[in-house]
């Protein structure tokens, strides 16, 4: 690959590494949109004539639309969550942090794709009201742009009092994306039918969760009321 200086440019999926030939840009784009997650894995180029799935708007504009002005609004990067360093400083640079979380409660390892997912797993392990949880528990079919897809929620959580919840971990900046709205519409219906609760775990919800878990042994009764919904 290195020896031959070919002008055969290949497109490589920046999420999974799948390769496409230089005349397969449409297949490459469709692959990313169909298989990966908008907001987390990619964002769409905001230029209507382009709309390519990309990871970083600024870099893409520099490479492909040098004469265009950078958009002032919208997601500039396929960002997961900004990971917070131990000192509490928020790093500007997006990290695609991944790894395995060892769950004592479940006697099982769970894969996390962001520092925030890891924090949530840790909370679930420590929270005494949670008897069990599972990661990416099942698929829920949903319709997006007239086509049927599968949505796999992040977590299934079972509580001591018997009630059950489905959790989706998402930064607030991604909650209004049409694709997410479509997914969650179906998820809410599926949950309603089973009398489960569907919860989008945003930064705000996560802060509450962390506090709740941290204080759970301080005042037993004060935290028995559910204020962590929404
Ligand atoms: Zn891919
Ligand atoms: Zn573009």
């Amino acid at each position: 690959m290195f020896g031959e200086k070919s002008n055969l440019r290949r497109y490589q999926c920046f999420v999974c590494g799948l390769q496409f030939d230089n005349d397969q840009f449409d297949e490459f784009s469709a692959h990313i949109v169909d298989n990966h997650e908008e907001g987390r894995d990619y964002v769409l180029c905001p230029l209507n004539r382009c709309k390519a799935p990309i990871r970083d708007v600024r870099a893409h504009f520099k490479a492909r639309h040098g004469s265009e002005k950078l958009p002032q609004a919208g997601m500039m990067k396929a960002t997961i969550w900004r990971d917070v360093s131990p000192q509490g400083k928020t790093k500007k640079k997006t990290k695609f942090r991944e790894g395995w979380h060892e769950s004592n409660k479940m006697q099982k390892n769970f894969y996390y794709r962001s520092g925030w997912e890891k924090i949530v797993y840790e909370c679930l392990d420590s929270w005494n009201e949670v008897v069990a949880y599972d990661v990416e528990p099942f698929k829920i079919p949903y319709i997006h742009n007239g086509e049927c897809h599968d949505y796999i929620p992040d977590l299934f959580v079972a509580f001591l009092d018997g009630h059950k919840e489905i959790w989706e971990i998402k930064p607030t900046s991604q909650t209004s994306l049409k694709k997410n709205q479509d997914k969650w519409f179906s998820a809410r219906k599926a949950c309603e039918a089973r009398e489960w609760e569907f919860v989008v775990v945003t930064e705000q919800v996560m802060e509450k969760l962390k506090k709740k878990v941290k204080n759970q042994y301080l005042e037993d009764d004060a935290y028995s009321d559910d204020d962590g919904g929404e």
Side-chain angles (χ1 to χ4, degrees), residues 134-157:
D134 198 9
V135 173
E136 303 195 331
F138 39 69
K139 295 175 181 173
I140 299 169
Y142 71 100
I143 309 283
H144 178 65
N145 290 340
E147 277 181 53
C148 196
H149 304 269
D150 282 326
Y151 160 53
I152 304 175
D154 289 325
L155 286 155
F156 175 78
V157 188

Side-chain angles (χ1 to χ4, degrees), residues 45 47 50-52 60-61 64-65:
C45 172
L47 284 185
C50 179
K51 287 280 176 213
H60 171 74
F61 265 59
R64 303 301 284 271
H65 316 300

Side-chain angles (χ1 to χ4, degrees), residues 13-18 20 31-32 35-36:
C13 172
F14 46 71
V15 185
C16 70
L18 199 67
F20 298 84
H31 160 79
I32 292 172
N35 294 281
H36 302 300

